[in-house]
Amino acid sequence: MDCGACEPVCPVEAIYYEDDLPEELQPHLADNAEFFTEALPGRDEALGSPGGAAKIGPLGIDTPLVASFPPQGE
C-alpha cells in the first residue's frame, strides 16, 4: 500500500516515500522491511502484516539496528 495519507501529518517528518528517502536513512529501508518479515529477538516468528499497530500493541523489542540507538531523551 502506498497511500501516503500519514506523511503530511507526521509531527516529526519521519515518513518518506521510498524514492525520497534521504541517503543517511537508507539503512532503515531494509531494517523496516525486516521488522515485519524476520523474527525479532525473543520472538518465534515474524510479525507479518499486522494491519495496524493497535491490533498488536507494544512489542517491547525492535530490530538490532534500531535497538542500538540510545533511548530518546537520554
Side-chain angles (χ1 to χ4, degrees):
M1 179 180 283
D2 191 15
C3 77
C6 53
E7 186 269 333
V9 296
C10 180
V12 294
E13 299 179 2
I15 301 169
Y16 297 91
Y17 284 106
E18 185 175 332
D19 293 341
D20 297 331
L21 190 64
E23 185 67 33
E24 67 271 12
L25 297 178
Q26 287 293 325
H28 293 280
L29 184 61
D31 193 62
N32 185 57
E34 289 174 11
F35 182 86
F36 296 100
T37 60
E38 304 290 327
L40 295 169
R43 295 184 61 93
D44 294 329
E45 58 186 36
L47 291 174
S49 179
K55 293 181 181 180
I56 58 170
L59 296 175
I61 192 71
D62 218 319
T63 61
L65 174 67
V66 174
S68 72
F69 292 113
Q72 291 185 355
E74 292 184 15

